[in-house]
Amino acid sequence: MADSPDSAPDRRPGGRTARIRARVIEAVRAELGERGDEGLTMEGVATRAGVHRATVYRRWRDVGGLLVDAIDAAGEIDWRPPDTGSLRGDLTALNQEIRQTLAAQPSFARALMAASFRSEQAARAQTRLWTDRYTQCEVIVDRAVERGELPPHTDARRLLIAATAPLYHQMVLLRTDADPRLPEQSAAAAVLAATAGAFSARPDEGP
Amino acid sequence: MADSPDSAPDRRPGGRTARIRARVIEAVRAELGERGDEGLTMEGVATRAGVHRATVYRRWRDVGGLLVDAIDAAGEIDWRPPDTGSLRGDLTALNQEIRQTLAAQPSFARALMAASFRSEQAARAQTRLWTDRYTQCEVIVDRAVERGELPPHTDARRLLIAATAPLYHQMVLLRTDADPRLPEQSAAAAVLAATAGAFSARPDEGP
């Protein structure tokens, strides 16, 4: 994708290449939301973005390429984990964000998950995005340890997954309307478990 | 499906209708596992099952009908939740079963999840299956309350989801090889949270 004459130059933010990419990604998100990943086509995206089809084919090659770039673009957003002053508050706020994302109609997040079942390339991009987000969120646990809310050697990843997984489970796999109290309840349950040492990573257990 | 002359009679277990259904369902599972839900076709299933295509079309109508019946058939299996004598033991055993199901290559469970993103009909059948399974598992929590391991008024569903969701999250959404310790760790974390009252459903909060 970087070897064609017009894709290499001018990649700075706001440059022509960046503007085209932004329009195409926006079109991918809109098409995914409206038509689902099965309705995503190169032509539909080009038309919606107002970009020449030839450009879309040259730079993104196929629908898989579009999906991967849309996922990567989501990872480039300047997102910060919540910082409310308490572990329970942070995890609750995080869960509320997740709930909003999954409840959105149409939901881009849900469409990406569906796509990742059909495209190995999209699945890998999505795993990268998830991993990055959980890594970013580790600061929530670090701060809680510093404040003395949690024992040191708490396994941040396991705690974060325990706090957030029930929401995904209810909304994505069980497809039930998540109870509006679930973001706070799941956060509270994870805090209680963590305080009781459920996620302690003892040095002798390795990282 | 019940109005054609040859689908109504002889539905008893072991009857001709039941034998054909068993062969077709088995073929659906095998095809799903090998080809994924996108590779599932009426013709492929008929050939594999050694059943006339006309019969398959008449009784299951389309691929969605096959998927729904395969999901329903999974729900009819005489499954019992583990009964090890302790809450932690039961939840660990349950998680180990889930881990095996999801780690199987090919995984029928995973293929069904993928299908449920593409077919509303399959999604509804799957929600029914999940709901039934969680309802069956509530006995695990009831027994723990009787043994005095848990406070009364523990919300069984929330506890079960907290115990099992991290495993699905890791294996289905994050697509990481779940740590072999995860079944036990997640069970232990849920027990600690439950013991601390994280899933208490007080009478004034409604059911």
Side-chain angles (χ1 to χ4, degrees), chain A residues 72-97:
Chain A
D72 287 347
E76 292 159 18
I77 291 168
D78 185 25
W79 181 83
R80 302 269 169 98
D83 187 3
T84 65
S86 77
L87 177 61
R88 181 169 167 162
D90 286 357
L91 295 176
T92 300
L94 181 63
N95 274 347
Q96 275 159 349
E97 268 188 53

Side-chain angles (χ1 to χ4, degrees), chain B residues 45-123:
Chain B
V45 167
T47 305
R48 186 163 204 140
V51 170
H52 283 300
R53 292 200 320 177
T55 305
V56 176
Y57 275 101
R58 193 170 54 240
R59 287 183 47 191
W60 287 274
R61 222 181 38 159
D62 56 23
V63 166
L66 285 175
L67 275 170
V68 168
D69 205 30
I71 297 169
D72 287 347
E76 292 158 18
I77 292 169
D78 186 27
W79 181 83
R80 302 270 169 99
D83 187 4
T84 65
S86 77
L87 177 61
R88 182 169 166 162
D90 286 357
L91 295 175
T92 299
L94 181 63
N95 275 346
Q96 274 158 350
E97 268 189 53
I98 293 170
R99 182 164 183 267
Q100 267 185 349
T101 308
L102 295 175
Q105 291 292 347
S107 166
F108 172 63
R110 217 180 254 277
L112 283 189
M113 282 183 219
S116 73
F117 274 102
R118 293 160 30 89
S119 152
E120 194 44 51
Q121 214 186 353

